[in-house]
Amino acid sequence: MPALASFNVALAQPADSAWPSKPIKMYVPFPPGGGVDNVARVIAERVSKQIGQPIVIENQGGGGGTIASAMVARAPADGYTFVFHSVSGAVVNAVTMKNLRYDPINDFAPVTLASRFPLVLVVHPGLPAKNLQEFIALTRENPGKYSYGSSGVGTSIHLAAELFNKLAKTNIVHVPYKGTVAVVPDLLAGRVDMLIDGLPPQAQHIASGKVRALAVTTTSRSPKLPDVPSMSEALPEYDIPFWTGIFAPAKTPKHIVERFADEVRKAVNSPETAKRLADAGIEGVGSTPQEFDKYWRQQLTVYERIAKESNIKLD
């Protein structure tokens, strides 16, 4: 992983102090309709109203988020191009992928931590384990017998499950898929036993009893699942939230970065937007650029350690 640079935005005020004077383009490295895309659109809709200019969402999937990242890294640093990343694109790619077409650290300026929500560990309801402690005991007693699906090798879901394996001292076998959506039919049919996934997409399956929720991956319980314990209640070192954040090309003027962060903070704290996010089990954050820079670097350290200890590295 490249050496970490300091918070990287230009300090000088540009001549265009009337920003924004035209539409803003925000890349989302996922297809339309997914969880990250939905959060980006909810926030962009509100910010657009606040700043009086449209924020145009450009869905650019492929390469695990690297195609969108490369496009933003090469874009002019004028405050009119951003990328709405998740922890996968902003952190996991940086610590697992080699030969990227951009510098995953130094080519971007962190703008704001936009949202955060827990992942949830779910299992097939036919398993003879009614809670997390029973599941850990069951899989310890039967190493290699049970399996978990993931959204692919080297993804945040994969690393989250491998950290569980390590801390719980279990040997649950990894079965990679092309996205978590592809895992769900096999989980519901009992062909794989476990999945760690975002809470929003799993909420309906939990409510219907098609899967059993054993834990959320944050250190506190989720208001959407108050009866489901946090992973840290059994494994104190476990804390893997899923988050989204906005980045700009490096050297984007500091006043634009700070203004955009401030507008996102206002947006996620507005009653309407806060409710739309909360109804999906998502916490709007809207941090300052400096707070996000610090958090992003902490996350790079966390995921780099998981990848190294699990021997996960992609070409």
Side-chain angles (χ1 to χ4, degrees):
M1 184 177 72
L4 299 187
S6 59
F7 181 54
N8 192 10
V9 293
L11 299 180
Q13 296 275 346
D16 181 15
S17 58
W19 182 92
S21 59
K22 62 181 182 179
I24 293 167
K25 183 179 293 186
M26 189 154 69
Y27 285 91
V28 175
F30 297 96
V36 174
D37 178 65
N38 289 337
V39 176
R41 290 177 185 275
V42 167
I43 293 174
E45 179 183 323
R46 178 68 187 186
V47 173
S48 294
K49 293 177 182 177
Q50 293 170 183
I51 64 177
Q53 289 287 350
I55 297 177
V56 180
I57 299 295
E58 292 279 350
N59 295 95
Q60 180 60 67
T66 61
I67 295 175
S69 296
M71 295 175 75
V72 174
R74 293 193 297 265
D78 58 3
Y80 291 95
T81 305
F82 297 88
V83 61
F84 195 92
H85 259 318
S86 68
V87 60
S88 300
V91 172
V92 176
N93 288 354
V95 302
T96 62
M97 291 187 175
K98 299 181 291 185
N99 304 317
L100 291 170
R101 293 181 294 159
Y102 58 91
D103 185 323
I105 309 300
N106 297 313
D107 282 349
F108 301 95
V111 178
T112 185
L113 179 65
S115 72
R116 184 166 46 204
F117 59 85
L119 300 171
V120 60
L121 188 157
V122 294
V123 298
H124 186 270
L127 284 183
K130 305 302 182 185
N131 56 51
L132 184 62
Q133 288 81 0
E134 290 181 4
F135 180 65
I136 291 173
L138 176 70
T139 50
R140 279 179 181 169
E141 291 166 4
N142 298 275
K145 178 179 179 180
Y146 296 98
S147 61
Y148 74 87
S150 84
S151 49
V153 175
T155 60
S156 59
I157 299 299
H158 179 199
L159 270 65
E162 283 304 305
L163 181 61
F164 175 79
N165 256 338
K166 178 180 180 294
L167 296 180
K169 297 181 175 60
T170 56
N171 179 21
I172 306 170
V173 178
H174 178 215
V175 182
Y177 290 74
K178 293 183 178 179
T180 51
V181 172
V183 183
V184 173
D186 280 0
L187 177 66
L188 300 184
R191 289 186 286 270
V192 293
D193 305 294
M194 169 187 134
L195 170 66
I196 294 179
D197 192 15
L199 173 54
Q202 288 303 316
Q204 61 176 329
H205 299 307
I206 295 168
S208 67
K210 292 180 179 178
V211 299
R212 179 181 298 134
L214 298 186
V216 293
T217 63
T218 43
T219 55
S220 57
R221 297 191 180 199
S222 168
K224 297 291 288 185
L225 294 173
D227 296 329
V228 175
S230 70
M231 196 85 81
S232 62
E233 292 176 41
L235 305 171
E237 296 178 57
Y238 198 104
D239 180 22
I240 301 290
F242 190 90
W243 54 264
T244 64
I246 299 172
F247 292 80
K251 299 183 181 179
T252 297
K254 182 181 179 183
H255 80 286
I256 292 179
V257 169
E258 292 184 340
R259 166 81 187 282
F260 200 37
D262 187 56
E263 295 296 344
V264 171
R265 183 164 54 254
K266 290 176 186 175
V268 299
N269 286 324
S270 67
E272 178 186 354
T273 302
K275 184 178 187 304
R276 290 176 70 183
L277 294 173
D279 285 348
I282 299 167
E283 173 196 3
V285 182
S287 70
T288 67
Q290 293 77 17
E291 290 167 341
F292 184 32
D293 186 51
K294 180 179 179 180
Y295 182 72
W296 174 44
R297 295 173 192 285
Q298 290 172 340
Q299 290 284 283
L300 285 163
T301 301
V302 168
Y303 279 91
E304 185 175 33
R305 185 177 66 248
I306 298 170
K308 187 175 294 185
E309 292 176 349
S310 303
N311 197 28
I312 297 170
K313 200 73 179 177
L314 304 179
D315 293 330

